[in-house]
Amino acid sequence: MDTSNLALISANFTSRSIVSANNGVFLKSSPLLCQRRRNFTFIKASLAAAAAIDKKVALIRIGTRGSPLALAQAYETRDKLMASSSELAEEGAIEIVVIKTTGDKILSQPLADIGGKGLFTKEIDEALLNSEIDIAVHSMKDVPTYLPEKTILPCNLPREDVRDAFISLNATSLADLPAGSVVGTASLRRKSQLLHRYPSLSVLENFRGNVQTRLKKLNDGVVGATLLALAGLKRLNMTEHVSSILSIDDMLPAVAQGAIGIACRSDDDKMANYISKLNHEETRLAVACERAFLLTLDGSCRTPIAGYACRDEDGNCLFRGLVASPDGTKVLETSRKGLYAYEDMVLMGKDAGKELLSRAGPGFFDS
């Protein structure tokens, strides 16, 4: 062994670093190696501590589903929060927490068969109540007409286009579909209105999954066409798939379609203040009117119900509501007009709901 190697060994090992036992040779750690290990352990501990500190920096934890559309809505919320407050614009100030809901886990059955309303919000609401998140971002049409105790929903972001989009590889509109064509939708609202106007078409129910999944099924030839909310396609920058847009007259939208809601705990004034800065009052009032209509009808996923409130050219509220039999053979519609103010609009929604309940009578939804 040359002298340079011997010198290196001498520098790193004491005379007690090499001992023999049972004819084997064991190397004991030198003081220098021990120091290096201690330094490495210290660095690892410091990095872990720094990571833990960074994780605690988040001032707001946003709870959301994990679908591409849900995440797009969460990022929209995050960006608006960052723009509203300098402290929220700091890196790491806002964290997005993905929560899988019952509606995301069970895709093989119709929503009505596994619990109806609340399937896309229940686990997120539980995380909010357990302080695992600070605010919850929901598609308002998924939110039940009741809110969990100790939560509030004081904010709606500006509403996107409420209309439905027709998508097909071979037709430009519903009217262009040949008799017997299959349209995929998991929505009884869409099914009933579609069959009411085009009874020669067929509907594949339980056409579920996120936007990308449903478009893939369409491309695979599972159905000849489908209907999707234009709002979601716009938020995903996927409007190139749209064959045509259905008018409000042809397809009245779901209650609160196109609206995003942000909830927090009722005792969390700080979060309520943050999200109140984002509220779009015109949207909030329209959603309140529509949800009052839905609540009066006690609507569920088994009930085809549609409702839409908007501001007309005179600045008043124009509300249109609809209930239908699941097979589309019976459709009842009504409308209201009044001041664009919270109390007036809630009363309009309730009154319209009572009228349709009375006109429908018992057994209406059993068709």
Side-chain angles (χ1 to χ4, degrees):
M1 182 181 295
D2 69 34
T3 55
S4 62
N5 285 338
L6 285 171
L8 181 62
I9 293 173
S10 298
N12 287 299
F13 293 90
T14 68
S15 60
R16 291 176 295 171
S17 294
I18 303 177
V19 296
S20 60
N22 299 324
N23 297 320
V25 177
F26 299 89
L27 296 182
K28 296 174 68 179
S29 298
S30 71
L32 181 56
L33 285 176
C34 287
Q35 182 60 42
R36 286 175 176 170
R37 285 173 182 160
R38 282 195 293 272
N39 288 344
F40 181 68
T41 301
F42 175 75
I43 291 169
K44 280 180 67 177
S46 299
L47 289 173
I53 291 171
D54 284 345
K55 194 170 182 180
K56 293 178 182 177
V57 165
L59 299 176
I60 298 181
R61 295 162 298 167
I62 300 176
T64 177
R65 295 169 57 202
S67 72
L69 177 55
L71 288 172
Q73 295 179 165
Y75 287 128
E76 181 180 341
T77 301
R78 180 202 63 183
D79 293 346
K80 289 181 182 297
L81 284 167
M82 291 174 68
S84 72
S85 174
S86 58
E87 64 181 355
L88 298 181
E90 298 290 331
E91 185 176 355
I94 300 176
E95 177 186 359
I96 292 179
V97 180
V98 174
I99 299 167
K100 199 156 190 176
T101 67
T102 302
D104 298 310
K105 296 172 186 174
I106 305 175
L107 295 174
S108 59
Q109 297 171 257
L111 292 173
D113 292 348
I114 55 175
K117 285 287 185 181
L119 290 171
F120 295 112
T121 60
K122 180 175 179 288
E123 286 81 1
I124 298 175
D125 289 333
E126 288 173 352
L128 182 63
L129 290 169
N130 293 334
S131 297
E132 295 165 15
I133 57 174
D134 302 301
I135 63 174
V137 176
H138 297 302
S139 291
M140 281 304 301
K141 69 176 182 179
D142 293 335
V143 178
T145 49
Y146 60 88
L147 294 177
E149 191 177 353
K150 299 182 180 178
T151 69
I152 55 173
L153 205 160
C155 172
N156 289 125
L157 299 186
R159 195 174 198 173
E160 209 8 302
D161 198 315
V162 303
R163 293 173 295 172
D164 284 308
F166 171 79
I167 304 175
S168 175
L169 303 180
N170 305 308
T172 58
S173 68
L174 283 168
D176 290 338
L177 288 173
S181 296
V182 179
V183 180
T185 179
S187 164
L188 283 183
R189 170 191 66 86
R190 290 184 178 123
K191 174 190 172 184
S192 60
Q193 292 186 75
L194 185 153
L195 292 179
H196 182 68
R197 289 178 171 79
Y198 304 97
S200 66
L201 298 179
S202 178
V203 174
L204 175 64
E205 297 183 45
N206 197 34
F207 191 73
R208 294 186 53 209
N210 61 38
V211 171
Q212 290 80 358
T213 298
R214 283 182 271 180
L215 290 177
K216 183 179 185 304
K217 290 179 181 179
L218 175 66
N219 288 328
D220 290 344
V222 176
V223 295
T226 189
L227 303 175
L228 296 174
L230 183 58
L233 294 167
K234 284 190 170 185
R235 290 187 174 118
L236 289 168
N237 295 314
M238 295 176 67
T239 53
E240 70 274 12
H241 297 282
V242 176
S243 303
S244 60
I245 299 172
L246 279 66
S247 71
I248 298 296
D249 291 332
D250 287 336
M251 183 68 66
L252 199 63
V255 164
Q257 183 156 304
I260 296 172
I262 310 176
C264 67
R265 291 180 294 277
S266 56
D267 61 355
D268 195 337
D269 294 338
K270 186 175 183 180
M271 291 302 132
N273 181 58
Y274 277 137
I275 62 180
S276 67
K277 296 176 183 178
L278 310 187
N279 181 56
H280 187 253
E281 189 66 1
E282 182 173 329
T283 298
R284 188 183 77 88
L285 298 187
V287 168
C289 178
E290 294 165 22
R291 282 168 60 83
F293 172 71
L294 183 64
L295 177 62
T296 303
L297 289 167
D298 193 25
S300 71
C301 285
R302 293 186 183 277
T303 311
I305 295 172
Y308 176 48
C310 64
R311 193 188 292 272
D312 67 13
E313 62 276 6
D314 299 321
N316 293 314
C317 173
L318 177 61
F319 172 77
R320 295 177 60 179
L322 172 154
V323 294
S325 59
D327 62 5
T329 56
K330 305 170 192 172
V331 172
L332 301 177
E333 298 183 68
T334 189
S335 63
R336 294 289 186 280
K337 187 173 182 177
L339 294 177
Y340 208 100
Y342 181 80
E343 290 186 4
D344 296 80
M345 292 170 69
V346 168
L347 286 174
M348 274 191 278
K350 288 180 178 178
D351 190 58
K354 289 176 183 176
E355 179 199 327
L356 292 188
L357 273 179
S358 175
R359 287 170 57 190
F364 179 83
F365 300 106
D366 297 336
S367 301

